[in-house]
Amino acid sequence: MSFPLYAPAEEHDMLRETVRALADEKIAPRAAEADEAEEFPWDVYKALVAADLHAIHVPEQYGGAGGDALAAVIVIEEVARACASSSLIPAVNKLGTVPIMLSASEELKQQYLSAVARGDAMFSYALSEPEAGSDAAGMKTRAVRDGDHYVLNGTKMWITNAGVSEYYTVMAVTDPSAGGARGISAFVVEKSDEGVSFGPKERKLGIKASPTRQVILEDVRIPESRMIGAPGTGFKTALATLDHTRVTIAAQALGIAQGALDYAVGYVKERKQFGKAIADFQGVQFMLADMAMKLEAARQLTYHAAAKSELAMKGQPQKDLTFLSSAAKCAASDAAMEITVDAVQLLGGYGYTKDFPVERMMRDAKITQIYEGTNQIQRMVMARQLLK
Ligand code: CAA
């Protein structure tokens, strides 16, 4: 009998070294200015594509790197350690394409996964709407059949990397009479489709170098072959996707927190008060120990969830994946918020300024408690799993 291991393999450790070197050299130096300018870092995207790290999850048969779920976690974690906005490149490419990997026809897989793998296009995920956030099944966007086409109308909101992505997985109501979840289908919409436009960039607290915009669909006519899976299965595909990708948000949170912890550790050894380094004060040491302990606990949960995600992706359903992915996302994002706040505290007044990266990291950490389902929704998902 063999048991699956979730400890990183040697290949994972090597991958981490590669990503960290790239992040130190090409991503970290750009993080503050990309945040300040609120501009998508195309140079970082190109560097990630050149290293085949922009969408490591795409299977080899579609021209991808064929990394497993833990590999994707490690890439996102290490990029986020340097720049949370940039970590949304591999994370959102995965979020946009998992619906295809789980449910689409071979034809769609060939066409879209290959384009993402080549670095020709990014792929976003469009579920939320202005009035359908936590209650995602309450969406209003409609897709009406017209011969062998569908015509889409509606507004999707909070779409990460909207405008810079070429492709979008869009969930829309195809059968209002089915009521909510069972009447929703998923489609691939292209940026170049007639009738697709984007709202202004949201003015956000953090992840400022990743555009968040509405995707507006006005009489967007697409062939029926662009439906992902069968009619009425779109909501299930959307939730099954989140079971895999909430793990990637956990990874992003881990990376942000690690970046803040590493910076704070370096700082307290240098900063002198009362005639000695502040690292010599036990109160400071206890803070660091708590930060590292919370981070490592969240990391182990995330890696465990990633191992389950990988097994499920390989066709071995994992009953506890829904629980574990919500638990990992919730634990890691709550930990990241606490750790980044403490990092700012350890730097004192300097930590509160834009001259030090922990200020950005604290702002960036906040979104991980909100997107891909608020942490209140994660707790609801976990409780439902416990009680069902
Ligand atoms: N996998 C597959 N199917 C699932 C599922 C899962 N994990 N969970 C539920 N389902 C199925 C159910 O079995 C049900 O199907 P049947 O009717 O056939 O039984 C159907 O989906 C509907 O399920 P529920 O009745 O549980 O649905 P609900 O309306 O009560 O909603 C919810 C459940 C958990 C609250 C869900 O709406 C949710 O997760 N909300 C949060 C939305 C969210 O995470 N949004 C994030 C947007 S993406 C984003 O933020 C990304 C970004 O830009 C970076």
Side-chain angles (χ1 to χ4, degrees):
M1 188 180 265
S2 74
F3 295 96
L5 291 173
Y6 64 87
E10 203 183 326
E11 289 79 0
H12 291 115
D13 293 337
M14 283 161 54
L15 174 67
R16 185 186 300 281
E17 277 175 34
T18 303
V19 189
R20 187 167 290 199
L22 178 96
D24 285 348
E25 190 196 341
K26 296 200 164 141
I27 303 177
R30 288 276 290 116
E33 60 188 2
D35 172 73
E36 190 70 23
E38 302 195 18
E39 271 173 19
F40 182 78
W42 283 107
D43 55 324
V44 170
Y45 177 65
K46 284 188 190 130
L48 288 170
V49 171
D52 217 359
L53 296 170
H54 61 296
I56 195 168
H57 67 286
V58 176
E60 285 171 358
Q61 67 196 104
Y62 304 109
D68 65 7
L70 184 54
V73 159
I74 288 169
V75 170
I76 293 163
E77 197 185 333
E78 289 301 324
V79 175
R81 181 174 168 272
C83 172
S85 292
S86 298
S87 72
L88 285 162
I89 294 167
V92 172
N93 269 340
K94 181 161 181 179
L95 176 62
T97 53
V98 167
I100 298 205
M101 288 168 65
L102 290 176
S103 310
S105 63
E106 193 51 37
E107 187 193 342
L108 289 187
K109 286 182 184 168
Q110 284 292 351
Q111 182 178 351
Y112 291 106
L113 295 179
S114 314
V116 171
R118 284 193 304 271
D120 291 349
M122 286 184 281
F123 215 130
S124 291
Y125 175 91
L127 176 67
S128 306
E129 297 185 359
E131 287 173 45
S134 293
D135 181 11
M139 67 179 65
K140 298 273 187 306
T141 296
R142 282 281 275 128
V144 177
R145 192 179 243 292
D146 179 20
D148 54 5
H149 283 69
Y150 278 90
V151 179
L152 277 68
N153 278 285
T155 299
K156 292 293 176 181
M157 190 154 183
W158 311 121
I159 309 310
T160 304
N161 286 351
V164 294
S165 284
E166 281 302 314
Y167 305 134
Y168 299 81
T169 294
V170 172
M171 270 53 74
V173 177
T174 43
D175 182 5
S177 68
R182 290 181 185 191
I184 293 169
S185 304
F187 298 89
V188 178
V189 171
E190 301 190 3
K191 178 180 168 177
S192 58
D193 287 329
E194 208 177 318
V196 174
S197 63
F198 302 97
K201 284 199 253 177
E202 301 293 346
R203 298 162 63 237
K204 297 169 299 186
L205 177 71
I207 53 158
K208 288 175 181 244
S210 161
T212 307
R213 301 170 70 177
Q214 288 187 339
V215 176
I216 301 158
L217 308 161
E218 291 169 299
D219 291 329
V220 179
R221 195 178 155 79
I222 58 172
E224 63 179 354
S225 59
R226 290 228 222 124
M227 185 184 277
I228 300 171
T233 61
F235 195 69
K236 283 190 187 188
T237 298
L239 292 190
T241 296
L242 295 174
D243 281 353
H244 293 279
T245 57
R246 283 174 177 158
V247 183
T248 68
I249 298 303
Q252 185 187 38
L254 295 178
I256 297 169
Q258 187 70 59
L261 175 62
D262 290 349
Y263 198 90
V265 166
Y267 181 87
V268 298
K269 289 196 279 193
E270 296 296 320
R271 173 73 173 165
K272 290 198 171 53
Q273 292 292 281
F274 305 102
K276 56 183 177 181
I278 61 171
D280 291 338
F281 291 100
Q282 200 175 41
V284 167
Q285 292 173 5
F286 281 10
M287 279 179 78
L288 291 174
D290 281 341
M291 290 158 79
M293 175 178 65
K294 286 176 200 162
L295 179 54
E296 197 50 34
R299 179 173 285 121
Q300 292 309 315
L301 181 54
T302 304
Y303 288 8
H304 182 49
K308 296 281 181 170
S309 158
E310 183 58 22
L311 289 172
M313 216 27 128
K314 286 209 170 99
Q316 301 172 46
Q318 301 293 305
K319 269 196 272 178
D320 49 0
L321 175 60
T322 299
F323 174 88
L324 285 170
S325 63
S326 281
K329 190 274 196 195
C330 198
S333 59
D334 284 350
M337 200 65 245
E338 290 172 21
I339 292 163
T340 53
V341 166
D342 281 351
V344 168
Q345 191 68 23
L346 285 169
L347 267 74
Y350 294 107
Y352 200 63
T353 70
K354 286 187 185 294
D355 298 330
F356 292 83
V358 290
E359 176 266 350
R360 184 185 76 252
M361 291 164 175
M362 188 182 98
R363 287 186 286 105
D364 287 342
K366 185 64 206 170
I367 191 61
T368 63
Q369 294 181 303
I370 298 172
Y371 60 15
E372 291 210 27
T374 64
N375 281 3
Q376 286 68 33
I377 288 291
Q378 309 308 326
R379 289 179 167 93
M380 202 171 105
V381 170
M382 286 186 270
R384 281 187 186 181
Q385 293 297 313
L386 292 172
L387 296 169
K388 79 176 183 190

